[in-house]
Amino acid sequence: MAHNGITVLVVEDEILIRMDITTFLEDEGFTVHEAADADEAIAILNRNPDIKVMFTDVDMPGTMDGLKLAAAVRDRWPPVQIIVTSGHQQLSDDLLPVQGRFFSKPYDRSRVINAIREMVAAG
């Protein structure tokens, strides 16, 4: 599929899950960067000002979890839209520490794609 101009950062410590969503997003025409934890995600954001959406898991090892990462990204890169996902926590969009969307695992990939497109169009 043709490049749609939307660059997404996928932050997920489970490599198979990260590979699955990355491949799906790329097949849908997105440019995708991958990070295994928050520190790697911040380094990628520093190098890539074209990132429009961050898709992050909540439960990750390292210096911060996905919710703290979402808050840090909102403070430092306010234009970046944020999607949070978890297989262990049940949150709603209203309970996120930042404006964004929440999807519980296993998530419907087509709903994730639609959310990314809607968020970028509105942002």
Side-chain angles (χ1 to χ4, degrees):
M1 183 174 275
H3 176 69
N4 63 20
I6 299 173
T7 302
V8 178
L9 172 59
V10 173
V11 188
E12 169 65 63
D13 63 310
E14 296 289 338
I15 190 161
L16 295 177
I17 295 171
R18 187 172 68 241
M19 288 172 50
D20 179 65
I21 192 65
T22 295
T23 300
F24 185 75
L25 291 170
E26 289 173 341
D27 289 348
E28 290 294 317
F30 296 92
T31 299
V32 182
H33 296 276
E34 299 178 52
D37 60 35
D39 293 332
E40 191 176 348
I42 289 170
I44 291 169
L45 283 160
N46 278 325
R47 293 190 309 267
N48 297 280
D50 57 329
I51 293 173
K52 294 189 180 351
V53 178
M54 180 179 68
F55 180 87
T56 184
D57 186 29
V58 171
D59 300 306
M60 293 184 296
T63 60
M64 63 179 90
D65 67 15
L67 294 176
K68 289 179 183 170
L69 174 61
V73 169
R74 175 60 63 229
D75 290 344
R76 190 157 173 198
W77 296 278
V80 174
Q81 302 295 316
I82 298 171
I83 296 176
V84 177
T85 184
S86 178
H88 305 288
Q89 298 184 38
Q90 290 300 317
L91 301 172
S92 67
D93 294 352
D94 301 350
L95 296 176
L96 294 176
V98 297
Q99 183 179 2
R101 303 263 180 99
F102 176 80
F103 289 94
S104 59
K105 292 179 184 176
Y107 41 79
D108 178 335
R109 294 180 299 184
S110 62
R111 288 185 61 223
V112 171
I113 296 297
N114 289 336
I116 290 171
R117 290 186 174 130
E118 289 169 9
M119 293 169 84
V120 169

